[in-house]
Amino acid sequence: MSNSAGNSVLALLLGAAIGAGLGILFAPEKGSTTREKIKDGFDDVKDNLKHKFEDVTHQLVKKFEGSKHDIEETYEEMVSNMSYKTEDVISFLETKLADLKEKNAELQKKQLTNQES
């Protein structure tokens, strides 16, 4: 829709809303009755907006609760995987440490043998 067509539609809607408002205000009813109708109309709009806000809030809370559960599950999975990886690394390091201790013991024997000669 072009900008001028959009402006025309907006002007038409605004004119209709103003006309409806003036029609209510100049209706052949008592002012108190007209004011009550206007108040009831605003109350209906307010209640409708309140319900829509509550629905959106409920949907957002529900969505984020699911996201929170997914994040917690992913975290637990990651910790579990890291635990296994940590065990693998510790086993590898223990093996390397045992090898180094063995090589160190051999070097110390060679040094003692060289010192005695």
Side-chain angles (χ1 to χ4, degrees):
M1 185 183 307
S2 71
N3 195 16
S4 64
N7 287 341
S8 297
V9 170
L10 182 62
L12 180 67
L13 292 174
L14 184 60
I18 291 172
L22 289 173
I24 290 172
L25 291 175
F26 289 108
E29 294 180 344
K30 290 177 27 180
S32 60
T33 306
T34 302
R35 285 190 296 276
E36 188 64 33
K37 284 183 180 180
I38 292 171
K39 181 185 174 297
D40 289 343
F42 281 128
D43 288 343
D44 290 344
V45 169
K46 181 180 79 171
D47 289 341
N48 190 13
L49 287 174
K50 181 180 176 186
H51 290 299
K52 285 182 181 181
F53 179 76
E54 288 171 351
D55 288 344
V56 168
T57 302
H58 178 71
Q59 289 173 1
L60 286 173
V61 166
K62 191 174 181 180
K63 183 175 183 175
F64 283 117
E65 282 177 352
S67 296
K68 180 182 175 187
H69 177 70
D70 291 344
I71 290 170
E72 288 173 350
E73 193 173 281
T74 302
Y75 173 77
E76 293 297 326
E77 212 172 279
M78 187 176 69
V79 167
S80 177
N81 289 338
M82 291 302 293
S83 178
Y84 289 121
K85 297 291 182 190
T86 302
E87 288 298 321
D88 290 344
V89 169
I90 289 172
S91 296
F92 173 78
L93 290 174
E94 287 174 340
T95 303
K96 289 297 179 184
L97 181 61
D99 290 344
L100 288 172
K101 283 183 179 181
E102 189 177 309
K103 287 181 182 179
N104 187 34
E106 289 175 14
L107 286 173
Q108 286 180 356
K109 282 183 185 178
K110 284 183 183 179
Q111 282 181 349
L112 283 176
T113 306
N114 287 341
Q115 286 177 355
E116 292 175 355
S117 326

